[in-house]
Every structure is written in C-alpha cells, then in structure tokens.
C-alpha cells in the first residue's frame, strides 16, 4: 500500500465532488484542446479520471475517451455522469501503475495533482506508462502543484466550504523529502472557529519542482516539452501555484 492509498480508496469519494469543480474541468479541457489542436474523434486517456469531470467534457466534444481510476465509487460516478451527458466512454477500475496501453492514444492527461502519490521511482514508471500509451506524435498533459511555489507559500491551514460544512486541511511541507503531509478534517456548519473537527484522512504526496518532473519525463523521449503555470496558458514561474507540462511524443 502506498502512503495515501487508504485516503484515496476510502475518504476521497466523500469529499471529491466538493473540491473538484466540473466548471473548472470544462475550461481546462477547452484550453487543452485549443493548445493541442486535436481533431474530434481521436483517442484520449484520462488517468486518474476520478468521477469523470474531464472525461465527460472530452466525450461531449466528440473524443473517444478511456478513463482509469482505482476507486470503484469514483468510476461508478463517472459512469453515471456519462449516462446523464448521453456520451459513451470506456471506464476502467484499475491501479494506474498497472496500465499497459501501447500506442493507442492521441492525447493522455494526468490532471489535478495526480502524481507524487508513490515513490519517485514509481512516479517515473507511471510517466513511462503514459509515454507508452501514446501514438507517435501524441500529446501528454500533466497538471500538478508547483513545488517551488508550495515551499514558500503553503499555508499551515486551508479551509474549503463543502456542502455539509467546511473542510479544514492541515498542511506540513517536509523540505528533506519534498513531501506534502496533509491531514483533512471535516467541520460541521455549527462548529466554532476553535473546533478541530472530525479527521477524514491523511495524505503524503511528493511535490516536484519543474526541473525534477522534466527530468523524470526523460525529455530525450519527447520531440517537444513545454511548461506552463496553469491550464490556461499562464507562463510558468516560481510564483505560479500550478505546474503544467505539455509534451509531444
Ligand atoms: C486528486 S483526484 C483527481 C481526479 C481527476 N483527475 C480530476 O481532476 O477530477 C486523484 C484521483 O486519483 C485516484 N487514484 C489515487 N491513486 C490511484 C492509483 N494508484 N491508481 C488509480 N487511481 C488512483 C483517486 O481515486 C482519485 O480519484
């Protein structure tokens, strides 16, 4: 079991829909398609797909989508979302480290901080799997937290409004490992400012600097690797909270 596995298997589905916005996903997909110039009818891999917010947006626009996630609840939600949107897509309940696609996709995406869950070696192997999954000339888009921004700007605590109250996230960045340790707490509406709340779960995620992820991608394998600071084309800098790679095989 990797450090955050229990959290993603058990706790994540209880908060994912409150923290992951379908409207943001629609905007991100629009930018990705504009940036990549991918034509309708081509094949897209979304891993991990969560409850399918990006997958559905790709499918709505006429792309053939495969979504992979190891959480059955999230995959079932993605299935229902596809049905409601009257689109079809292939959904696979699988550990993304076991993906064995070969030369199938025109575009592969790994979005919303979905790398860094494993050891550095396993993360590197995961990146290799995306490379293998792509056709020659295919594109890979990765969007995650910018470690260099987090080092200076990670707040000790964050609060997010959720349906039944507030999500309180206690953050700690370990500079010796570059791993972000978070404890996720749920506070009911009636809780006062001093309340700590009920512990939802804990995560431990490796944050990467741009040069580290770039090296892990093995730039010699790709014909082009571009870096952005958000999924809207913002230029990358030490001050952008996000780190986005667009790489062409
Ligand atoms: C932060 S969410 C992002 C989901 C999606 N990309 C989005 O933006 O909505 C991370 C997802 O990774 C999934 N996950 C975590 N570890 C995984 C693994 N080893 N294999 C496949 N999915 C995994 C979780 O179930 C969760 O849905």
């Amino acid at each position: 079991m990797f450090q955050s596995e229990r959290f993603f298997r058990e706790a994540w589905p209880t908060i994912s829909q409150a923290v992951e916005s379908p409207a943001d996903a629609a905007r991100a997909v629009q930018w990705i398609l504009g940036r990549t110039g991918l034509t309708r009818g081509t094949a897209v891999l979304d891993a991990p797909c969560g409850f399918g917010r990006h997958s559905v947006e790709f499918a709505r626009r006429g792309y053939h989508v495969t979504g992979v996630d190891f959480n059955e609840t999230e995959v079932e939600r993605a299935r229902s979302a596809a049905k409601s949107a009257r689109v079809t897509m292939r959904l696979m309940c699988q550990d993304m480290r076991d993906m064995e696609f070969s030369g199938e996709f025109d575009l592969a995406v790994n979005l919303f901080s979905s790398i860094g869950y494993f050891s550095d070696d396993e993360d590197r192997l995961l990146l290799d799997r995306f490379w293998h999954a792509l056709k020659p000339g295919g594109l890979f888009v990765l969007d995650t937290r910018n470690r260099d921004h987090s080092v200076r700007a990670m707040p000790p605590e964050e609060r997010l409004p959720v349906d039944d109250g507030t999500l309180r996230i206690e953050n700690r960045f370990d500079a010796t490992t570059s791993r972000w340790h978070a404890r996720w707490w749920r506070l009911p509406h009636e809780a006062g400012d001093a309340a700590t709340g009920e512990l939802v779960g804990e995560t431990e995620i490796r944050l990467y600097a741009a040069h580290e992820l770039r090296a892990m991608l093995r730039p010699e394998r790709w014909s082009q690797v571009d870096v952005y600071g958000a999924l809207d084309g913002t230029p990358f800098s030490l001050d952008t909270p996000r780190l986005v790679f667009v790489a062409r095989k």
Side-chain angles (χ1 to χ4, degrees):
M1 188 183 274
F2 58 94
Q3 288 292 340
S4 307
E5 178 162 355
R6 184 152 177 221
F7 177 84
F8 281 118
R9 285 206 184 272
E10 295 169 16
W12 185 250
T14 70
I15 54 175
S16 61
Q17 289 172 306
V19 298
E20 297 180 320
S21 141
D24 287 352
R27 276 191 291 274
V29 164
Q30 203 53 44
W31 181 77
I32 290 170
L33 291 174
R35 169 62 185 73
T36 56
L38 213 65
T39 52
R40 283 169 70 90
T42 47
V44 177
L45 170 65
D46 179 13
C49 64
F51 59 83
R53 60 188 181 129
H54 299 100
S55 293
V56 165
E57 293 301 329
F58 281 116
R60 264 192 225 283
R61 290 164 174 76
Y63 296 84
H64 295 300
V65 180
T66 298
V68 175
D69 202 288
F70 78 168
N71 189 296
E72 281 171 28
T73 307
E74 296 296 76
V75 170
E76 208 36 60
R77 283 177 181 160
R79 199 161 277 129
S80 308
K83 206 168 164 191
S84 306
R86 295 171 189 272
V87 294
T88 50
M89 49 201 202
R90 174 167 62 153
L91 289 166
M92 300 170 65
C93 196
Q94 189 189 35
D95 193 309
M96 57 188 164
R97 290 170 295 175
D98 298 332
M99 293 189 301
E100 285 191 341
F101 303 112
S102 176
E104 266 185 58
F105 296 97
D106 300 281
L107 170 69
V109 298
N110 174 274
L111 303 175
F112 204 57
S113 313
S114 298
I115 184 100
Y117 301 163
F118 318 117
S119 66
D120 290 16
D121 282 344
E122 280 180 298
D123 282 336
R124 191 176 298 109
L125 290 172
L126 175 63
L127 293 175
D128 286 350
R129 296 205 180 256
F130 284 105
W131 185 85
H132 280 290
L134 288 170
K135 296 175 185 170
L139 286 141
F140 178 46
V141 177
L142 180 148
D143 149 60
T144 192
R145 280 192 182 226
N146 173 11
R147 182 240 185 227
D148 289 340
H149 173 267
S150 299
V151 167
R152 293 170 298 127
M154 182 179 278
E157 180 180 293
E158 287 166 88
R159 287 180 182 239
L160 299 174
V162 292
D163 289 348
D164 52 355
T166 302
L167 205 56
R168 190 172 69 80
I169 308 159
E170 277 175 15
N171 296 317
R172 180 173 66 82
F173 181 75
D174 182 341
T176 65
T177 59
S178 274
R179 294 189 88 93
W180 159 45
H181 298 252
R183 302 179 84 200
W184 302 66
W185 303 83
R186 195 194 317 271
L187 293 164
H189 281 303
E190 60 281 7
D193 283 349
T196 51
E198 171 211 349
L199 186 65
V200 177
E202 299 185 46
T203 47
E204 198 238 85
I205 296 176
R206 169 73 150 97
L207 301 186
Y208 290 106
H211 71 277
E212 291 177 305
L213 257 187
R214 199 189 167 88
M216 284 171 71
L217 273 172
R218 299 205 259 162
E220 67 280 7
R221 284 186 145 190
W222 305 84
S223 61
Q224 192 172 342
V225 179
D226 294 327
V227 189
Y228 297 93
L231 280 171
D232 60 5
T234 298
F236 173 76
S237 78
L238 293 178
D239 296 322
T240 54
R242 308 300 296 174
L243 165 62
V244 172
F245 280 93
V246 179
R248 185 180 290 281
K249 186 169 175 179

